[in-house]
Amino acid sequence: NSASFSDSCFFSPEAVPTSLPIYVQTSPKQKLIIYQRYIIMKHTKKHIIAIILGFIIMLTGAFLSNTYRPYIYRNHLSDFHIADTISSWILVPSTTLIAWGIIRGRNSIKKTLICCVVVLLISEFAFSTTFDIFDLIATVISGSVTYSIYALYMAPRNKRPEK
């Protein structure tokens, strides 16, 4: 049941996209090859988009760290530790998208997200020179928000059609 929509119909003759121009005049074996290439290209496109989006999110975080954080500190404003935890907010969605895009395996985004959150939590303990509970909280909340966005917008698109 963990197979995605494309995996479930990978070898299904009904799933061959008949809109492909070359489809009409080919044998069943050739149709299967055409569809396999179509699925590979479709997945590759998804992964490339995920990597690009991950880097855009990461660059947004770098921009905010260099503009928003100094502004908050300079003007002595209280923002409920958002300026202190920008990296924790940004790293979860960006590393999840980049890792999922690079791995290109059969792992779901959910599994990749959980791994990224766990690694970021462990790295806060292992590599951080200043331990900050707000970074841990921001990482967990960012993981929850990232999963919610995935569940609302992406998961319905990946469901199998009813047979």
Side-chain angles (χ1 to χ4, degrees), residues 1-12 15 35 39-40 42-44 46-47 100 104-111 150 154-161 163:
N1 284 346
S2 66
S4 68
F5 166 72
S6 58
D7 294 334
S8 66
C9 62
F10 196 73
F11 293 103
S12 173
Y35 189 64
I39 290 295
I40 290 168
K42 182 176 159 187
H43 283 295
T44 302
K46 279 184 188 179
H47 289 95
W100 183 77
R104 288 185 0 174
R106 297 207 185 273
N107 288 342
S108 68
I109 290 181
K110 291 185 282 189
K111 289 178 186 176
Y150 168 77
M154 297 308 296
R157 295 179 186 190
N158 293 333
K159 295 219 184 229
R160 295 183 197 181
K163 291 185 180 182

Side-chain angles (χ1 to χ4, degrees), residues 15-37:
V16 175
T18 56
S19 62
L20 293 175
I22 197 167
Y23 173 80
V24 180
Q25 300 171 346
T26 58
S27 69
K29 186 175 181 178
Q30 290 171 327
K31 288 177 185 178
L32 180 61
I33 292 169
I34 291 167
Y35 189 64
Q36 288 172 342
R37 289 181 183 162

Side-chain angles (χ1 to χ4, degrees), residues 3-157:
S4 68
F5 166 72
S6 58
D7 294 334
S8 66
C9 62
F10 196 73
F11 293 103
S12 173
E14 300 86 32
V16 175
T18 56
S19 62
L20 293 175
I22 197 167
Y23 173 80
V24 180
Q25 300 171 346
T26 58
S27 69
K29 186 175 181 178
Q30 290 171 327
K31 288 177 185 178
L32 180 61
I33 292 169
I34 291 167
Y35 189 64
Q36 288 172 342
R37 289 181 183 162
Y38 170 79
I39 290 295
I40 290 168
M41 288 175 59
K42 182 176 159 187
H43 283 295
T44 302
K45 184 177 176 183
K46 279 184 188 179
H47 289 95
I48 290 171
I49 290 171
I51 292 169
I52 291 170
L53 186 59
F55 277 112
I56 289 171
I57 293 170
M58 192 176 290
L59 289 173
T60 303
F63 175 76
L64 289 173
S65 289
N66 291 319
T67 57
Y68 179 72
R69 181 184 277 180
Y71 175 79
I72 294 296
Y73 289 162
R74 184 174 40 246
N75 295 312
H76 305 288
L77 300 173
S78 175
D79 69 343
F80 306 103
H81 299 282
I82 293 173
D84 299 332
T85 59
I86 288 174
S87 60
S88 298
W89 289 103
I90 296 297
L91 278 175
V92 173
S94 63
T95 55
T96 299
L97 288 169
I98 292 169
W100 183 77
I102 289 173
I103 293 169
R104 288 185 0 174
R106 297 207 185 273
N107 288 342
S108 68
I109 290 181
K110 291 185 282 189
K111 289 178 186 176
T112 307
L113 172 63
I114 292 168
C115 290
C116 286
V117 169
V118 168
V119 166
L120 291 170
L121 289 173
I122 291 171
S123 69
E124 180 67 29
F125 287 107
F127 303 113
S128 180
T129 56
T130 58
F131 177 78
D132 188 6
I133 190 71
F134 295 111
D135 279 327
L136 298 175
I137 294 168
T139 299
V140 171
I141 293 172
S142 180
S144 301
V145 169
T146 303
Y147 179 75
S148 298
I149 291 169
Y150 168 77
L152 286 172
Y153 295 107
M154 297 308 296
R157 295 179 186 190

